[in-house]
Amino acid sequence: DDLRGIPLTPALLEKNGFRYNGGSNAYQFILDEDVILTGNPHIFGGNSVQLCVGGRWCGRPVQSLHELQNIYLDLTGRELAVD
């Protein structure tokens, strides 16, 4: 049996404070001027989110809800809403 995480979707990102930026064709969650979570299917492939700190991409693209929850909790100290 193949277990997989819940995939990220634009609706899930919007529900959790990500805003669509038409100029970059991406969903963004800006934590401060140096820390941004960006979801751009044209760059990262599929529905995934990448962490950018100080203008540099960090780690690998996040593709599942549980991965995004962990990063979000680490960065903000708050849990992501997932109803």
Side-chain angles (χ1 to χ4, degrees):
D1 296 294
D2 193 19
L3 298 176
R4 296 176 191 208
I6 298 169
L8 300 176
T9 64
L12 183 65
L13 295 177
E14 287 177 1
K15 178 179 180 182
N16 285 286
F18 282 74
R19 299 289 175 245
Y20 184 72
N21 179 334
S24 62
N25 193 29
Y27 287 88
Q28 296 181 323
F29 187 90
I30 300 172
L31 296 165
D32 65 36
E33 62 186 48
D34 288 327
V35 181
I36 301 171
L37 291 167
T38 300
N40 186 326
H42 303 288
I43 294 175
F44 306 123
N47 289 320
S48 61
V49 169
Q50 181 72 42
L51 174 63
C52 180
V53 178
R56 303 185 91 179
W57 298 114
C58 301
R60 64 174 181 76
V62 171
Q63 297 180 332
S64 297
L65 176 60
H66 72 279
E67 295 173 306
L68 182 58
Q69 286 175 302
N70 290 337
I71 288 176
Y72 186 87
L73 180 62
D74 286 343
L75 293 172
T76 67
R78 299 185 313 262
E79 294 202 15
L80 210 57
V82 293
D83 295 336

